[in-house]
Amino acid sequence: NVIDLKEFDQHSNLKKEIIDKNNEDIIVVCVANLLKVKRLERFIYAIAKVKKENNRIKGLIIGEGPERSFLEQILNDLNLGTDSLILLGKKTNIPDILSQSNILILTSENEGFPNAIMEGMSAKLPVISTPAGDAKYLVQNGKTGFLVEKENTTKMAETIIKLANDLDLRERFGEAGRIVIEENYSYKDLSINLIKLYTK
């Protein structure tokens, strides 16, 4: 998989006010279809734990699907309102939203090659992810983000807080992630990489 960074950057530079937030909020965003395999309830449980420690952190889920009512019920059971986590629904302006966020998270049980992570790294976001599918290869643990075991929502919450409290770490991981995308997953280098692959 590759990403057209030129087009991505053009859209992310639109800077529309999509997220209703003040400058002190830390937005943790998840981009996923609302499917059971994405295990988005893990994100909700992590945010519930995070809010006890840092009220500035807010969750955002972009996507639509059959699990929406299930997720809404969990939010209701945990008394989490829109000041804690928003189910934003399906959006087409993903680069815009990512450019206004601070951390990207992926909570899936299974994955192929997660485009959401690639887009997050393109937007210079540090990534927190389960080691699902190729996510464990794309996210360089301790360099571009953190890998967290799938059911460990406590560790997921602790990692969110760690990144939220450390701007320098977020920026360092974000820059490193962007370099990984530029050097390995950029659309402009696709033909060169394919030739290298078939001539080995």
Side-chain angles (χ1 to χ4, degrees), residues 121 124 143 174-185:
M121 291 168 68
K124 298 184 179 181
K143 183 178 179 182
E175 292 291 343
R178 173 69 184 215
I179 289 171
V180 168
I181 298 299
E182 289 176 350
E183 293 182 349
N184 300 283
Y185 303 103

Side-chain angles (χ1 to χ4, degrees), residues 31-96:
V31 183
N33 293 320
L34 309 189
L35 303 172
K36 188 173 183 179
V37 70
K38 299 298 183 178
R39 297 301 305 272
L40 294 164
E41 73 276 10
R42 293 170 174 165
F43 183 27
I44 296 175
Y45 288 129
I47 287 293
K49 295 172 181 177
V50 160
K51 297 299 284 187
K52 297 176 182 178
E53 301 290 332
N54 189 332
N55 203 47
R56 294 169 49 223
I57 300 171
K58 303 185 186 305
L60 183 67
I61 297 176
I62 304 169
E64 197 55 80
E67 290 286 286
R68 186 181 183 96
S69 60
F70 169 67
L71 299 174
E72 288 175 336
Q73 184 59 54
I74 294 174
L75 287 169
N76 185 61
D77 291 344
L78 293 173
N79 293 315
L80 292 178
T82 54
D83 61 328
S84 299
L85 191 145
I86 299 173
L87 296 174
L88 195 58
K90 186 176 181 180
K91 297 293 177 182
T92 58
N93 49 350
I94 302 300
D96 249 344

Side-chain angles (χ1 to χ4, degrees), residues 14-28:
L14 295 176
K15 299 298 181 186
K16 295 176 183 175
E17 289 298 325
I18 298 164
I19 299 169
D20 182 18
K21 68 184 186 73
N22 60 53
N23 292 332
E24 294 184 352
D25 289 341
I26 301 294
I27 303 298
V28 186

Side-chain angles (χ1 to χ4, degrees), residues 98-109:
L98 293 179
S99 72
Q100 298 175 64
S101 302
N102 305 101
I103 301 165
L104 182 108
I105 192 165
L106 184 140
T107 59
S108 297
E109 182 67 25

Side-chain angles (χ1 to χ4, degrees), residues 134-151:
D134 288 340
K136 59 181 172 289
Y137 305 115
L138 187 54
V139 179
Q140 298 177 10
N141 194 44
K143 183 178 179 182
T144 65
F146 294 110
L147 295 172
V148 179
E149 287 305 316
K150 296 175 182 178
E151 295 297 340

